[in-house]
Amino acid sequence: MQARADLALDTDWSFIPKLQFGLRTTTRHAERTDQGGRYADLSDAMIPYASLPIGELQKTTDPFRGNAQGFTQYLQPPRSGIYDNRVKLRQFVYDNLVKLAARFPTSQNYKDRVVEWTTPNVVPAENSGWEADEDTYAAYVQGKYNFTIGSMDVDGVFGVRGVITSGSSFGLSSICTLNDGGTPTDTRDDTCTRSLEGRTEKQDYVDILPNISARFRFTPKLQFRLGFTKTRTKPNFGDLNPALNISPVIYSACQSPTSPNYNPNDTTSCRIPGRIYPDYSGNAGNPSLRPFTSTNYDASLEWYFAKSGFFSVAVFQRDIFGFTTQVTRFRNDPQFGILQLSNPINAADAQIKGAEANFQTFFDFLPGALSGFGISGNVSYLTGRNRYPNGYDPQTDTFKGEGEYLTIPGLSKWTYNAAFFYEKSGLVARLSYNRRSDWVNGYNTDPQTGFQYTGTGTYARDRLDAGVSYDINKNFTIGADIGNILATPFQNYVNFQQGRYSPIDVRDEGRYYGASLRFRFGD
């Protein structure tokens, strides 16, 4: 819900001909009440894949279109095999969980899974929901100005906006403590008792956001723009959830039960030296998160060389502080021992720099029908880095040093767009091309050093589209288009270890064909 009031005042001042004022108030409420899932790990039951009640297995399609050598297909159940047998499959899972719970009577994991799979439908966990409320009160004042320097006209806008935010968030914490009071490495009793506790936290802060822009008109066709603004982006309500979820980490024996040296109490001899093995793990939101702020600088030069043609270049910089970043830390807790906890924090400084060039024109200097042809294109170059915390010290629960700079996820260094088009006598045709270079999706932490490395990413991709339409008369238009003509696969990759690339998926996105008939009523 929101309410706003704006006032524009025309002044008699030549330098500032107009002033603008405004007030705005908003009220927002968000909640998530139904979130659930269940997963049954039946690996200890050692069930052959082919014996599952999912019908006959079939070969997958070859996603490489016959261009790859070696392994390109494998057996899997068809979707209908799983969906049509979902009742049998659910009962099969439940029956085997009951057997595993009887086989491992001290395992809290199997006890919890049996309860989850008792019902036909997924039952959301008691602590899966959260609620958040937020009220904002904003006011702004802004003025438009213009003046002349010699023969050059200068105009622009300057102003400031203030925002008061008052919010609260509620979540239900869930903590499961081992019943024997020991540690997860003690396999005598892995059961735990869960306690629930509600928690409400406040979020109150004030933002002051100035802005100023200027346009210098050297000639009617050539102009230069400058801009300075400050902006802020609020965290997601879900990230503000104050709930804390903690459960013991249960470690399996180092040897397989079929090994002659099997010892069910040996859970430590196989550990990697230097790696941290927590006793409990969990996750939490962070009600102390603040919006990330950005100080923005923009400059552009624009040349309008024809009625239908222009060329522009622009440079920009964004100085950012407080990106929401997920971190994992290992605390030495007096109650839980070594506690692995993941939660979002406001990271340190970040910066985005870039430049772009744009061009568009019609060939209207050509005779007759040829004057309908035109071209457009743009290219942009971006560099973006964000300082991520690293070198975590579990003894002091702090990150060492200022942290390392890493490329901002989702940011491609190069992006290209080009189009060749025709618009004349009711005929509109367009052939457009787009390409963006590789980008990072997320980072992993090296457990030995605490430093980040590219965990998942996407390779460069491009796309070519074409479309044509024709106005039969003022009421009817027919059209046809082809999307994704190149049909190049979309490819994601993962690094399970630094420098070791493996594909996540190769998505074979096909071409799309369409035809249309549009009708307009009246003139």
Side-chain angles (χ1 to χ4, degrees):
M1 181 177 67
Q2 72 172 19
R4 62 181 298 171
D6 298 281
L7 174 65
L9 177 64
D10 292 325
T11 72
D12 295 328
W13 307 329
S14 60
F15 178 67
I16 305 177
K18 177 173 286 191
L19 291 173
Q20 296 171 302
F21 308 88
L23 298 172
R24 180 182 178 185
T25 178
T26 65
T27 298
R28 297 200 299 167
H29 173 79
E31 63 180 70
R32 185 173 66 190
T33 56
D34 295 321
Q35 182 191 23
R38 56 187 180 188
Y39 174 75
D41 183 359
L42 301 180
S43 55
D44 287 332
M46 303 181 70
I47 301 169
Y49 191 40
S51 67
L52 297 175
I54 51 179
E56 185 178 353
L57 302 180
Q58 297 179 3
K59 280 187 177 182
T60 63
T61 58
D62 177 7
F64 300 98
R65 303 178 187 170
N67 296 325
Q69 300 296 322
F71 180 75
T72 58
Q73 293 176 282
Y74 54 91
L75 290 174
Q76 72 170 19
R79 180 183 183 280
S80 59
I82 297 176
Y83 183 79
D84 295 343
N85 295 291
R86 60 191 182 279
V87 176
K88 294 180 181 179
L89 187 60
R90 184 168 56 239
Q91 187 63 42
F92 180 87
V93 170
Y94 174 77
D95 293 341
N96 280 276
L97 284 172
V98 171
K99 294 177 183 178
L100 289 171
R103 179 181 167 188
F104 301 98
T106 62
S107 170
Q108 182 69 36
N109 174 60
Y110 289 125
K111 293 179 184 293
D112 291 342
R113 301 295 82 73
V114 168
V115 173
E116 288 179 0
W117 285 82
T118 301
T119 60
N121 298 319
V122 175
V123 177
E126 290 182 80
N127 65 321
S128 64
W130 50 262
E131 293 186 20
D133 291 281
E134 179 187 86
D135 295 319
T136 62
Y137 309 91
Y140 77 89
V141 58
Q142 180 171 277
K144 294 184 178 182
Y145 67 89
N146 62 64
F147 57 89
T148 301
I149 301 177
S151 61
M152 180 177 62
D153 293 330
V154 181
D155 60 11
V157 173
F158 67 94
V160 65
R161 179 164 60 105
V163 184
I164 299 174
T165 300
S166 176
S168 65
S169 54
F170 170 82
L172 199 60
S173 293
S174 170
I175 298 176
C176 204
T177 307
L178 284 167
N179 290 327
D180 62 4
T183 64
T185 56
D186 185 346
T187 60
R188 288 173 298 176
D189 188 359
D190 290 341
T191 60
C192 61
T193 299
R194 189 174 303 278
S195 61
L196 300 175
E197 180 180 354
R199 183 184 177 195
T200 300
E201 293 289 340
K202 294 283 189 179
Q203 296 89 37
D204 299 322
Y205 48 88
V206 177
D207 294 301
I208 303 297
L209 307 171
N211 72 287
I212 184 170
S213 64
R215 180 178 62 167
F216 303 85
R217 303 185 65 183
F218 302 121
T219 71
K221 294 184 177 181
L222 183 65
Q223 61 187 26
F224 179 65
R225 297 179 187 268
L226 288 174
F228 169 81
T229 59
K230 292 195 72 171
T231 58
R232 57 104 170 93
T233 302
K234 294 183 178 181
N236 297 324
F237 280 129
D239 289 334
L240 297 172
N241 180 8
L244 181 66
N245 302 292
I246 297 178
S247 297
V249 180
I250 307 302
Y251 295 96
S252 300
C254 288
Q255 298 291 331
S256 168
T258 58
S259 171
N261 299 321
Y262 174 67
N263 179 357
N265 296 317
D266 177 18
T267 61
T268 60
S269 64
C270 53
R271 293 187 173 182
I272 300 173
R275 179 172 293 181
I276 301 174
Y277 292 85
D279 300 311
Y280 283 78
S281 70
N283 59 78
N286 184 355
S288 298
L289 282 175
R290 289 295 182 261
F292 75 79
T293 58
S294 177
T295 303
N296 313 309
Y297 308 90
D298 296 271
S300 65
L301 182 65
E302 304 165 359
W303 177 36
Y304 298 89
F305 55 83
K307 291 182 178 180
S308 59
F310 74 93
F311 174 75
S312 68
V313 292
V315 294
F316 52 88
Q317 179 173 312
R318 306 286 184 262
D319 293 334
I320 302 169
F321 189 87
F323 260 138
T324 300
T325 304
Q326 196 78 17
V327 298
T328 299
R329 59 188 69 188
F330 297 84
R331 297 178 177 175
N332 284 324
D333 189 270
Q335 178 181 358
F336 301 108
I338 299 178
L339 171 62
Q340 175 182 320
L341 190 65
S342 298
N343 70 313
I345 65 170
N346 286 117
D349 56 298
Q351 190 178 74
I352 298 175
K353 294 181 179 180
E356 64 177 358
N358 294 274
F359 174 79
Q360 177 177 307
T361 187
F362 275 90
F363 301 139
D364 48 12
F365 55 86
L366 295 176
L370 296 178
S371 63
F373 284 105
I375 58 172
S376 68
N378 65 68
V379 57
S380 64
Y381 174 80
L382 292 175
T383 61
R385 63 178 190 171
N386 188 20
R387 194 192 296 273
Y388 284 76
N390 60 15
Y392 181 73
D393 184 355
Q395 303 300 323
T396 61
D397 188 24
T398 58
F399 293 92
K400 299 177 182 178
E402 294 184 340
E404 59 181 322
Y405 281 113
L406 297 174
T407 299
I408 295 176
L411 197 67
S412 292
K413 184 172 289 188
W414 290 98
T415 302
Y416 309 89
N417 291 283
F420 181 65
F421 49 85
Y422 183 87
E423 297 181 15
K424 194 76 171 180
S425 303
L427 178 63
V428 177
R430 188 177 187 88
L431 180 68
S432 57
Y433 174 77
N434 165 265
R435 178 179 176 82
R436 61 178 295 193
S437 59
D438 299 0
W439 66 91
V440 176
N441 293 316
Y443 292 95
N444 289 342
T445 303
D446 188 320
Q448 302 297 328
T449 65
F451 283 79
Q452 309 274 337
Y453 65 92
T454 300
T456 58
T458 302
Y459 290 115
R461 63 174 313 191
D462 52 8
R463 184 182 177 99
L464 183 66
D465 300 299
V468 61
S469 66
Y470 179 69
D471 294 331
I472 300 175
N473 53 43
K474 63 181 181 181
N475 298 110
F476 287 94
T477 300
I478 58 173
D481 57 84
I482 304 176
N484 197 26
I485 296 173
L486 301 177
T488 53
F490 180 88
Q491 301 179 72
N492 287 330
Y493 65 89
V494 64
N495 290 327
F496 291 107
Q497 294 180 3
Q498 190 168 2
R500 299 183 64 178
Y501 294 80
S502 301
I504 297 178
D505 67 305
V506 179
R507 208 174 307 158
D508 196 1
E509 299 181 345
R511 299 177 183 88
Y512 305 92
Y513 302 90
S516 64
L517 172 64
R518 296 197 298 270
F519 175 76
R520 303 178 186 87
F521 293 95
D523 295 331

